[in-house]
């Protein structure tokens, strides 16, 4: 059961500058342990798409290497051919590049080391440090003991090395079916650490491998492969998540046996994995959401996959900022989704062009504006960046405003339009509502206003009168229809998969709404993945795939402020 009491919300203004891993690296540099060399690696298994948790590990491994002038390797840990595929390899490369990191020539695969791993296994056998087991999987489990009871030695533990070697070679030659034998390290069946009770290091799998084809029918296990791969690549600091803490003695044991055969003995350092509220982050659950069609594929903008957050509108910089801000520690904790969302707001507030969109249109007719007249208004591309210039927004007699910006019977403190009230149409004139036009069903069709021609923004008369409300608008004639996808959190429960909850029952039914809105003309040329602030409406991205010159499609990345619980879910 996940401990919700440790839930923390990070102060969004604090930026982590140091952490225990930097302290270790600084100490190593001072003592010259690695001659100043820093070499890290990000070692995904290509069996699924990466998620935001992996981004923490990517930013940490690549980020440390970058900060210390070292290198970071991208290594595919491809020792489980049944579950792995090239499709995932390609997607992972794409994610890492998108996040802004480079592995240069350091792209590796654990399968690159199959020959060396095999050779080392033979060596361990000849040194009586490994033996061929023929107990069944169930028997092995039985012999292993429990957390409170020691295991007992397998009858095959004393098998002579020559016999084990012969069997191992015949395993490799394909003489036996899957599961007939395994190779086990000979460590200590009474160890309090179960990982040290003669772990299996090789198994028979007559399976085609995406890189080595049918060359192998025996495959090394993760714990054996990982430490040797690190050592062969000269990794200095092998950073991994806390669940590997109990595997560290095995990591060290394997490398200690091979001390004369591998170039170095990297230091494994564990850190707490990212837990983020309102998401699930296990590859298995992500796969289920996709295969059960509960989302629209791997890059559904509501998913925590990196492909998903990219399509949602997240910037690589926002994710790197998030990784920096949450920091790294040894303590498991929960990070609130607002921390991630605020990182995006912060980035886009500074970088996104301002544009106008009307999401829920209401017609506004200016009775005293000449029928065929049009004029230009000028709106800044960014309020804090005057050098980014202004663009022209055409004004005419019939406009669209947001339905929410009009109330026939205003509540107390409502300063937008209502009968008799005045507002400023941003970048244009002050208008006063004089009439409400309804259809036979009593629904509002349009509202009528009169405008004050002496109050145009940017002219001397602009400040002659002050009004409280300031609303956005588009000229109906010039507005461009657009498909607008309003995304929200995928789950309505902050801990959708804690305890024995069924995360599929925690889905937020309002996480996706597709609406037909209007956008200003300047957005016709928006490029796929270009991001904007739609004034007063939030941050949006032109959809990576569906945006075309003939069809404008924008996804809402995030609202302007954290409105969770206040609007959609009140
Ligand atoms: P999952 O647990 O989601 O099925 P995994 O952790 O087994 O995935 P890997 O491909 O082995 O996936 O992960 C690659 C690296 O990413 C590992 O070093 C792993 O520790 C790290 N990683 C995975 N999930 C997280 C997370 N939530 N936070 C930080 N690092 C993570
Ligand atoms: Mg893993």
């Amino acid at each position: 059961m996940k401990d919700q009491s440790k839930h923390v919300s990070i102060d969004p203004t604090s930026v982590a500058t140091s952490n225990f891993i930097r302290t270790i690296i600084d100490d190593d540099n001072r003592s010259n342990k690695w001659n100043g060399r820093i070499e890290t690696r990000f070692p995904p298994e290509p069996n699924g798409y990466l998620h935001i948790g992996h981004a923490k590990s990517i930013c940490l491994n690549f980020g440390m290497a970058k900060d210390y002038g070292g290198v970071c390797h991208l290594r595919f840990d491809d020792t489980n051919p049944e579950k792995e595929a090239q499709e995932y390899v390609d997607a992972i490369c794409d994610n890492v590049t998108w996040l802004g990191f480079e592995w240069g020539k350091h792209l590796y695969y654990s399968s690159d080391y199959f020959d060396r791993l095999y050779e080392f296994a033979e060596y361990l056998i000849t040194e009586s440090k490994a033996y061929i087991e023929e107990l069944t999987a169930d028997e092995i489990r039985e012999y292993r003991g429990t957390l409170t009871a020691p295991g007992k030695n397998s009858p095959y533990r004393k098998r002579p090395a020559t016999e084990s070697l012969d069997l191992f070679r015949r395993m490799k030659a394909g003489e036996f079916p899957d599961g007939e034998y395994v190779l086990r390290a000979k460590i200590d069946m009474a160890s309090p650490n179960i990982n040290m009770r003669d772990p299996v290091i090789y198994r028979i799998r007559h399976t085609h491998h995406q890189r080595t084809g049918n060359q192998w029918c025996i495959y090394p296990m993760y714990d054996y492969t990982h430490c040797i791969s690190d050592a062969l690549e000269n990794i200095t600091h092998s950073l991994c998540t806390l669940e590997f803490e109990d595997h560290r003695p095995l990591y060290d044991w394997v490398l200690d046996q091979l001390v004369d055969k591998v170039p170095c003995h990297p230091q494994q350092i564990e850190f707490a994995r990212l837990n983020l509220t309102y998401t699930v982050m296990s590859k298995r659950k992500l796969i289920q959401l996709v295969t059960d069609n509960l989302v629209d594929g791997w890059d559904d903008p509501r998913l925590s996959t990196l492909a998903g957050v990219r399509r949602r509108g997240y910037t690589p910089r926002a994710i790197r900022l998030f990784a920096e801000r949450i920091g790294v520690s040894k303590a498991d904790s929960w990070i609130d989704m607002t921390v991630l969302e605020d990182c995006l707001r912060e980035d886009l507030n500074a970088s996104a062009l301002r544009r106008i969109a009307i999401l829920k249109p209401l017609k506004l007719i200016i009775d005293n504006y000449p029928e065929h007249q049009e004029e230009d208004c000028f709106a800044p591309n960014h309020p804090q960046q005057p050098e980014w210039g202004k663009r022209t927004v055409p004004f005419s007699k019939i406009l669209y405003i947001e339905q929410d910006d009009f109330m026939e019977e205003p509540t107390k403190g409502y300063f937008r339009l209502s009968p008799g009230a005045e507002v400023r149409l941003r970048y244009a004139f002050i208008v006063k509502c004089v009439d409400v036009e309804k259809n036979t069903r009593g629904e509002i069709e349009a509202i009528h206003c009169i405008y004050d021609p002496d109050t145009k923004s940017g002219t001397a008369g602009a400040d002659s009168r002050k009004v409280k409300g300031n609303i956005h608008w588009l000229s109906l004639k010039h507005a461009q229809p657009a498909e607008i996808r309003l995304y929200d959190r995928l789950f309505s429960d902050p801990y959708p998969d804690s305890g024995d909850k069924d995360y599929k029952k925690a889905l937020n039914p309002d996480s996706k709404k597709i609406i037909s809105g209007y956008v200003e003309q300047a957005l016709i040329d928006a490029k796929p993945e270009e991001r904007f602030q739609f004034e007063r409406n939030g941050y949006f991205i032109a959809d990576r795939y569906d945006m075309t010159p003939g069809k404008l499609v924008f996804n809402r990345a995030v609202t302007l402020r954290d409105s969770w619980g206040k609007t959609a879910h009140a």
Side-chain angles (χ1 to χ4, degrees), residues 130-173:
Y131 60 98
I132 296 294
E133 175 63 277
E134 62 185 271
L135 293 180
T136 63
D138 285 341
E139 287 166 335
I140 291 178
R141 207 169 304 123
E142 228 168 86
Y143 274 67
R144 189 176 292 135
T146 64
L147 284 173
T148 47
K152 54 182 187 190
N153 286 347
S154 158
Y156 302 99
R157 203 174 197 264
K158 292 210 211 76
R159 195 195 287 279
T162 47
E163 199 180 304
S164 279
L165 194 58
D166 175 60
L167 284 169
F168 191 48
R169 289 178 176 164
R170 289 166 60 198
M171 276 165 67
K172 176 179 181 250

Side-chain angles (χ1 to χ4, degrees), residues 43-45 47 54 77 222 241 243-244 273 283:
E45 182 179 355
N47 64 349
H54 293 111
D77 174 32
Y222 172 84
T241 36
E243 67 270 23
F244 293 104
R273 62 195 294 122
K283 281 183 188 155

Side-chain angles (χ1 to χ4, degrees), residues 458-476:
T459 66
D463 295 324
S464 57
R465 265 180 320 123
K466 288 267 176 246
V467 288
K468 277 196 172 150
N470 189 340
I471 67 175
H472 64 279
W473 52 273
L474 285 176
S475 159
L476 179 141

Side-chain angles (χ1 to χ4, degrees), residues 42-45 51 53-54 57 241 271 273-274 281-283:
F42 173 64
E45 182 179 355
H51 52 64
H54 293 111
S57 179
T241 36
F271 63 95
R273 62 195 294 122
L274 169 66
M281 258 190 304
S282 106
K283 281 183 188 155

Side-chain angles (χ1 to χ4, degrees), residues 9-290:
S9 187
I10 304 276
D11 169 10
T13 56
S14 75
V15 168
T17 47
S18 192
N19 59 52
F20 76 99
I21 297 177
R22 283 177 200 268
T23 307
I24 292 173
I25 295 177
D26 290 339
D27 286 348
D28 289 349
N29 280 343
R30 257 190 303 276
S31 68
N32 227 10
K33 178 174 172 187
W34 300 104
N35 294 318
R37 203 165 57 78
I38 305 297
E39 218 149 329
T40 57
R41 85 287 167 270
F42 173 64
E45 182 179 355
N47 64 349
Y49 286 84
L50 298 187
H51 52 64
I52 188 87
H54 293 111
K56 172 175 180 176
S57 179
I58 294 170
C59 292
L60 179 63
N61 279 294
F62 281 92
M64 287 292 169
K66 203 170 187 176
D67 285 359
Y68 284 90
V71 291
C72 180
H73 303 188
L74 175 59
R75 183 199 314 140
F76 288 101
D77 174 32
D78 55 348
T79 54
N80 260 317
E82 297 98 329
K83 293 195 201 147
E84 297 161 4
Q86 186 61 36
E87 177 196 350
Y88 298 126
V89 170
D90 296 339
I92 291 169
C93 289
D94 194 52
N95 290 154
V96 175
T97 308
W98 178 72
L99 278 174
F101 298 109
E102 287 169 12
W103 53 85
K105 58 183 181 173
H106 298 285
L107 176 65
Y108 304 103
Y109 295 83
S110 297
S111 56
D112 294 342
Y113 312 125
F114 280 172
D115 284 323
R116 305 298 302 280
L117 290 159
Y118 177 81
E119 175 198 320
F120 295 151
E122 282 206 350
Y123 170 76
L124 292 181
I125 295 170
T126 55
E127 293 292 299
S128 281
K129 296 290 184 187
Y131 60 98
I132 296 294
E133 175 63 277
E134 62 185 271
L135 293 180
T136 63
D138 285 341
E139 287 166 335
I140 291 178
R141 207 169 304 123
E142 228 168 86
Y143 274 67
R144 189 176 292 135
T146 64
L147 284 173
T148 47
K152 54 182 187 190
N153 286 347
S154 158
Y156 302 99
R157 203 174 197 264
K158 292 210 211 76
R159 195 195 287 279
T162 47
E163 199 180 304
S164 279
L165 194 58
D166 175 60
L167 284 169
F168 191 48
R169 289 178 176 164
R170 289 166 60 198
M171 276 165 67
K172 176 179 181 250
E175 282 188 33
F176 310 116
D178 288 5
E180 179 105 343
Y181 294 105
V182 291
L183 179 67
R184 296 180 76 173
K186 194 188 285 184
I187 310 179
D188 178 7
M189 288 306 291
S191 170
N193 182 340
I194 292 187
N195 294 304
M196 299 297 274
R197 294 183 191 170
D198 292 9
V200 172
I201 58 176
Y202 259 94
R203 67 219 193 289
I204 304 174
R205 282 280 183 287
H206 289 271
T207 308
H208 179 91
H209 185 283
Q210 68 273 16
R211 286 178 55 83
T212 57
N214 293 325
Q215 193 188 339
W216 296 89
C217 61
I218 56 172
Y219 291 99
M221 300 296 283
Y222 172 84
D223 279 327
Y224 175 72
T225 309
H226 194 76
C227 53
I228 294 176
S229 306
D230 279 351
L232 290 175
E233 288 175 22
N234 256 304
I235 297 301
T236 55
H237 302 85
S238 177
L239 313 179
C240 62
T241 36
L242 278 178
E243 67 270 23
F244 293 104
E245 196 164 25
D246 290 344
H247 297 238
R248 184 171 4 115
L250 178 54
Y251 185 105
D252 290 333
W253 182 90
V254 171
L255 294 184
D256 285 344
Q257 310 315 307
L258 301 172
V259 66
D260 300 326
K261 304 202 170 278
V262 292
C264 74
H265 187 142
Q267 180 181 1
Q268 176 178 310
I269 303 167
E270 308 85 17
F271 63 95
R273 62 195 294 122
L274 169 66
N275 299 305
L276 188 64
T277 57
Y278 298 100
T279 55
V280 295
M281 258 190 304
S282 106
K283 281 183 188 155
R284 187 179 56 79
K285 290 174 188 164
L286 289 168
I287 285 176
Q288 256 173 32
L289 288 170
V290 174

Side-chain angles (χ1 to χ4, degrees), residues 404-421:
D404 290 349
D405 284 336
F406 176 77
M407 269 183 111
E408 196 171 9
E409 288 165 33
T411 50
K412 193 165 176 285
Y414 185 83
F415 296 118
R416 290 166 276 164
L417 266 184
S418 57

